[in-house]
């Protein structure tokens, strides 16, 4: 993986440093998998209102401990097994990791019965990567009419995770392709398919993602330090 320069200082100082280089319109999502609730409270005190987790159970446990933070938005960014779909709708306001049509349709059915509908992103994988979930561009374009009927998902755009070890040039190209795909879809003007949100960029590549048009960046290690795995 391309390295990133670790930032010095407290979590609040790191957030301030990142905020200086990223436009205010870009939503900074703190990725809190394996991060303690104490560190999450520090981030909250520094103004963070968006937390992302990749596991439903971990989010549920933390939400119980942070229930006094009532204005936090919770984002699911990890692969969702269909048997956890109901729970995911309980725990998260945003689901970034809808990665196939079956899952989308299942979530859509479950969300029909809820007063709070999720906001959703479609996960795409524009470069081959055995380790990552998501639609290829071709497959996504084929599934668009079916996705357009998933009116309870409030689909807002695309999410992508790049393969490890790309050069800066290749990472930039992959982010640009994701932005172009969102544009192509937006131009089709399909009902219930908004494409103005692009969730892309992590600790090692968020600056490139922002240049390519990211509207949400998902930052873990650069805020909280290295995880154990
Ligand atoms: C872990 C994770 C991140 C954050 O990665 P860092 O390298 O810690 O910034 C972002 N997005 C997804 C989907 C993740 O799983």
């Amino acid at each position: 993986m391309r390295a990133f320069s670790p930032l010095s200082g407290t979590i609040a100082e790191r957030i301030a440093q990142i905020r200086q280089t990223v436009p205010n319109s870009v939503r900074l999502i703190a990725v809190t998998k394996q991060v303690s609730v104490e560190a999450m409270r520090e981030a909250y005190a520094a103004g963070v209102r968006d937390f992302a987790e990749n596991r439903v159970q971990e989010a549920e446990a933390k939400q119980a401990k942070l229930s006094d933070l009532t204005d936090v938005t919770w984002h699911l960014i990890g692969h969702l097994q269909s048997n956890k779909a109901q729970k995911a709708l309980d725990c998260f306001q945003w689901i970034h990791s809808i990665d196939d049509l079956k899952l989308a349709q299942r979530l859509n059915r479950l969300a029909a019965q809820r007063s709070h509908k999720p906001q959703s992103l479609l996960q795409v994988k524009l470069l081959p990567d055995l380790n990552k979930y998501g639609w290829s561009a071709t497959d996504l374009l084929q599934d668009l009419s079916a996705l357009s009927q998933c009116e309870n998902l409030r689909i807002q755009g695309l999410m992508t995770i790049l393969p490890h070890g790309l050069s800066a040039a290749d990472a930039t190209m992959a982010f640009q392709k994701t932005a172009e795909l969102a544009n192509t879809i937006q131009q089709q003007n399909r009902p219930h398919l908004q494409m103005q949100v692009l969730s892309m960029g992590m600790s090692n590549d968020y600056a490139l993602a922002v240049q390519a048009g990211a509207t949400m960046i998902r930052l873990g290690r650069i805020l909280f330090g290295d995880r154990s795995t």
Side-chain angles (χ1 to χ4, degrees):
M1 185 182 286
R2 217 167 36 260
F4 62 92
S5 339
L7 299 174
S8 56
T10 63
I11 291 171
E13 285 162 356
R14 295 173 186 179
I15 291 167
Q17 280 184 64
I18 292 166
R19 271 274 152 241
Q20 274 173 12
T21 64
V22 168
N24 275 331
S25 56
V26 174
R27 193 158 164 182
L28 191 162
I29 318 261
V31 176
T32 52
K33 58 188 183 205
Q34 295 176 46
V35 170
S36 71
V37 290
E38 290 74 26
M40 291 171 73
R41 283 187 184 280
E42 240 182 287
Y44 181 90
V48 171
R49 291 295 179 271
D50 292 281
F51 289 145
E53 291 282 341
N54 59 352
R55 300 217 169 135
V56 178
Q57 267 169 325
E58 187 173 343
E60 200 181 16
K62 285 174 176 168
Q63 287 172 359
K65 292 181 186 159
L66 297 171
S67 59
D68 54 311
L69 309 184
T70 52
D71 58 349
V72 165
T73 299
W74 292 84
H75 302 252
L76 177 64
I77 57 173
H79 177 63
L80 179 58
Q81 289 165 346
S82 61
N83 62 345
K84 303 226 175 89
Q86 184 74 261
K87 211 17 71 72
L89 291 169
D90 292 337
C91 293
F92 297 97
Q93 289 86 54
W94 276 85
I95 302 180
H96 295 225
S97 43
I98 297 182
D99 54 21
D100 75 18
L101 183 57
K102 272 218 167 95
L103 176 64
Q105 290 173 328
R106 181 179 174 84
L107 285 166
N108 184 58
R109 274 195 304 277
L110 294 170
Q113 282 133 46
R114 310 173 70 95
S115 52
H116 291 289
K117 316 288 190 216
Q119 309 218 61
S120 307
L121 301 173
L122 305 174
Q123 183 172 347
V124 296
K125 183 175 73 164
L126 300 188
L127 294 173
D129 185 345
L130 291 176
N131 298 314
K132 301 285 186 293
Y133 295 94
W135 276 274
S136 69
T138 317
D139 291 346
L140 182 60
L141 293 170
Q142 271 168 10
D143 283 344
L144 282 185
S145 39
L147 286 165
S148 172
Q149 287 163 37
C150 294
E151 61 194 40
N152 303 308
L153 294 183
R154 297 200 289 161
I155 294 168
Q156 303 293 325
L158 302 180
M159 181 273 239
T160 199
I161 309 171
L162 299 189
H164 294 314
L166 293 183
S167 68
D170 286 347
T172 294
M173 195 193 60
F175 289 140
Q176 286 170 346
K177 281 210 152 98
T178 306
E180 282 163 23
L181 180 60
N183 262 332
T184 303
I185 296 171
Q186 185 76 63
Q187 279 162 18
Q188 295 189 8
N189 262 320
R190 293 175 183 265
H192 314 301
L193 270 185
Q194 292 299 313
M195 280 288 136
Q196 74 277 18
V197 174
L198 286 175
S199 167
M200 52 189 202
M202 313 188 351
S203 293
N204 62 338
D205 56 17
Y206 72 92
L208 302 175
V210 168
Q211 275 172 21
T215 67
M216 291 181 171
I217 52 177
R218 309 180 307 267
L219 304 181
R221 294 170 300 152
I222 202 168
L223 299 181
F224 300 110
D226 279 332
R227 291 178 293 271
S228 52
T229 55

